[in-house]
Amino acid sequence: MKPYNGNLLQKIKEFKLERNAIILAHNYQREEIQQVADFVGDSLELSRKAADSDAEVIVFCGVRFMAEVAAILAPEKTVLLPDHHAGCSLAAMVSVADLRQKKKEHPRAAVVAYVNSPAAVKAECDICVTSSNAVAVVNSLAAEEIIFVPDKNLGSYVAKQTGKKVILWDGYCATHHCVTREDVANARRADPRALVMVHPECRPEVVAAADYSLSTGQMFKLARETENETIIVGTETGVLPRLRQENPEKNFLPLSPKMVCPDMKLVTLIKLLLALVKMRTPVEVPAEISRPARRALERMLAVV
Ligand code: CIZ
């Protein structure tokens, strides 16, 4: 039996009004957090919402790099991360010092940062990308040589799609990197007619074995449009409840039940309420980082 959260939800509503706050939740958040949020989406959609909203406080139910992007794009607002431990192991795989060294080794290369990176790393880069626009953004660059940080799987996908020389960083998302070609083969054996969609953070051989490689936003779109009745979903399992709710006539199965991001699941209803009550934890990006990082983000936003 599920616990009754009525009072908690009521308190969240009251404090949200009192603080003139908006609650943004990433597609990978717990189902109950997505239900209470004003808007659910990918990091780019959420950052755009943060910048466009007239709320004074943004409660960002996601991980730190996402809250940082919101703080960079909406510097006049207070951005709160309900659990300050909610980091991203992929973002932690790239440091400013190592990137500066790599830039020295490849002085003519354009430097492209996946949004899943710390703000200080974005500040070192020419342009940012998300999983939904990485190919278009890299295609828009004049440079034929690209340093791509930090996800080697998304970087490989971009290299294949653009034909550019992409210098890969040895980073990966553990939640996506853990699935194998065997997982795809097993899913297909169980239902040969099922459509398989995976995230480009999956290994290249998993992407090659799937029918589509898509960001979460693109997955929601394909789920609406396809005539396939069964869809195997190769990304964090937090997307499944909304996929099922929006498409009740279709059957959505996880590519693997292991695809759970522990950081994304740190935010709970009680932490969300405490964030509003105690105004914690504010995420601020110092101006010397925020300025160049914003430039890299805005260059991306100008492309797509
Ligand atoms: O950009 C995002 O929000 C991430 C991390 C994944 C996706 O495809 O939405």
Side-chain angles (χ1 to χ4, degrees):
M1 195 164 63
K2 282 196 172 167
Y4 176 64
N5 282 321
N7 195 33
L8 198 48
L9 298 179
Q10 184 55 34
K11 287 269 170 245
I12 289 171
K13 229 185 228 171
E14 281 168 25
F15 273 93
K16 195 177 76 159
L17 275 179
E18 192 173 318
R19 299 294 192 199
N20 185 18
I22 184 172
I23 299 171
L24 304 181
H26 190 267
N27 290 326
Y28 296 158
Q29 287 287 292
R30 292 170 186 269
E31 185 176 2
E32 62 272 25
I33 296 291
Q34 296 192 32
Q35 280 168 357
V36 82
D38 296 296
F39 189 80
V40 182
D42 64 24
S43 59
L44 181 64
E45 291 167 333
L46 296 178
S47 300
R48 285 195 159 124
K49 280 276 166 204
D52 293 346
S53 155
D54 47 21
E56 288 167 70
V57 175
I58 312 286
V59 187
F60 208 113
C61 300
V63 295
R64 179 164 297 274
F65 78 82
M66 298 176 178
E68 282 180 348
V69 171
I72 291 167
L73 294 178
E76 71 292 353
K77 292 173 188 154
T78 301
V79 177
L80 303 175
L81 189 60
D83 188 315
H84 72 283
H85 295 294
C88 168
S89 57
L90 167 61
M93 288 178 187
V94 55
S95 72
V96 169
D98 289 345
L99 178 55
R100 284 186 179 159
Q101 179 55 35
K102 187 66 82 184
K103 283 162 73 170
K104 270 194 204 139
E105 291 163 21
H106 304 275
R108 281 196 299 276
V111 186
V112 176
Y114 187 27
V115 282
N116 301 37
S117 56
V121 165
K122 292 186 178 78
E124 294 287 320
C125 292
D126 296 307
I127 195 161
C128 291
V129 298
T130 69
S131 47
S132 60
N133 63 23
V135 170
V137 169
V138 169
N139 266 331
S140 78
L141 301 175
E144 284 301 316
E145 191 184 20
I146 310 289
I147 297 172
F148 191 96
V149 294
D151 190 296
K152 63 181 173 185
N153 293 333
L154 180 61
S156 299
Y157 179 72
V158 166
K160 201 168 276 169
Q161 298 294 316
T162 63
K164 297 205 179 195
K165 179 178 177 203
V166 178
I167 298 150
L168 299 175
W169 200 262
D170 193 16
Y172 57 88
C173 162
T175 304
H176 288 91
H177 199 65
C178 74
V179 288
T180 62
R181 200 167 25 192
E182 199 44 33
D183 289 313
V184 178
N186 288 340
R188 289 206 191 277
R189 255 195 300 277
D191 185 346
R193 285 171 312 174
L195 179 149
V196 180
M197 59 183 187
V198 301
H199 197 275
E201 288 176 21
C202 292
R203 296 167 189 262
E205 64 270 24
V206 171
V207 170
D211 298 309
Y212 293 93
S213 171
L214 303 168
S215 69
T216 56
Q218 292 162 343
M219 286 182 181
F220 283 104
K221 184 165 185 289
L222 179 64
R224 278 194 298 275
E225 291 172 359
T226 182
E227 286 181 2
N228 279 66
E229 280 169 16
T230 300
I231 301 162
I232 311 294
V233 184
T235 192
E236 216 278 349
T237 55
V239 297
L240 292 167
R242 184 150 74 95
L243 282 170
R244 289 174 180 142
Q245 194 195 332
E246 288 182 4
N247 305 277
E249 73 292 359
K250 292 174 187 163
N251 185 23
F252 296 92
L253 301 169
L255 175 58
S256 161
K258 291 177 295 187
M259 298 187 83
V260 176
C261 171
D263 284 287
M264 281 286 178
K265 304 304 186 233
L266 284 175
V267 180
T268 58
L269 286 177
I270 187 73
K271 288 181 194 168
L272 171 52
L273 175 60
L274 287 172
L276 284 162
V277 173
K278 297 183 181 271
M279 292 293 281
R280 73 184 193 200
T281 309
V283 174
E284 284 162 14
V285 181
E288 67 274 16
I289 291 175
S290 179
R291 233 177 286 115
R294 185 179 175 121
R295 228 176 4 246
L297 285 162
E298 282 178 343
R299 281 194 195 119
M300 168 185 80
L301 295 173
V303 177
V304 279

